[in-house]
Amino acid sequence: MGIHTVTYTATDACGNSSTCTMRVQVIDNVPPVPVCDAVTVVDLTSNGTGYVNASSFNDGSNDNCTIDEVLISRDGINFLEGIFFDCDDLAQSPLSLTLRVYDWARNFNDCSVTVIVEDKLAPILVCPATANLSCEVDYLDLALTGQPLVQDNCGMDTVYFTDNVQLNNCNVGRVIRTWTAEDKYGNATSCLQWINLVDNTPVQVNSFPENYTTSICGVTLDPVL
């Protein structure tokens, strides 16, 4: 492509010659043939975002000369070298984007890309520390047993627990508590907490029996009698 000078030379049989020149402009009016990656899945990271270069949506676009640039757009107006996705895109997924392919002559053509934005990361869940409680207290009181630390990249849905109760008739033993955190998109994670219930109350004697004296040998000393 460009403007070129072409020189013609004419020579007769006697060796006489003359020349003339002309200018030839070579142009490319043929736009590229865009080929889009029809469906692209984007997984959000731990901070709830994802970035994809425009070239990642290109699936073999070609041109009669040379591809110069590939851009991507959400609205078909503003084209960028790459595009960010975040948690707000989850509710609108799948998204329809426009890929624009330029050649060196700035001819361009567009094609459509379908983007599925997904959150596949389970919440971060840290269980409370092991709780050692008196058997007289309520182990269902979370103010005593503690609550887990929960974090998710795109928002929590529910946090709940189930208990495996291993207590005797005196309410002494342990409870194995399974905490589960589930985010808005069905990703879940669990952890275990141990709750030990012990009898820390010392025996209290209200009164002792009177001293007993006998002169009989072999008398029974059974305290029940």
Side-chain angles (χ1 to χ4, degrees), residues 103-199:
D103 64 14
W104 278 7
R106 302 309 290 173
N107 302 304
F108 68 87
N109 221 335
D110 298 338
C111 58
S112 295
V113 179
T114 298
V115 177
I116 299 174
V117 183
E118 295 183 346
D119 171 22
K120 295 181 179 179
L121 296 180
I124 297 173
L125 176 65
V126 180
C127 267
T130 298
N132 297 304
L133 306 176
S134 168
C135 61
E136 297 179 331
V137 303
D138 182 6
Y139 64 84
L140 294 176
D141 186 350
L142 299 184
L144 299 175
T145 59
Q147 299 193 47
L149 299 175
V150 184
Q151 180 180 341
D152 187 71
N153 59 340
C154 285
M156 288 301 305
D157 182 22
T158 57
V159 178
Y160 59 92
F161 65 85
T162 57
D163 286 342
N164 178 6
V165 181
Q166 303 172 10
L167 303 176
N168 61 20
N169 292 334
C170 294
N171 209 40
V172 173
R174 70 176 181 178
V175 176
I176 302 176
R177 177 164 292 172
T178 302
W179 286 95
T180 301
E182 185 171 338
D183 67 17
K184 296 178 180 179
Y185 304 96
N187 304 302
T189 188
S190 298
C191 64
L192 296 178
Q193 178 194 16
W194 276 261
I195 302 171
N196 301 314
L197 286 95
V198 297
D199 183 2

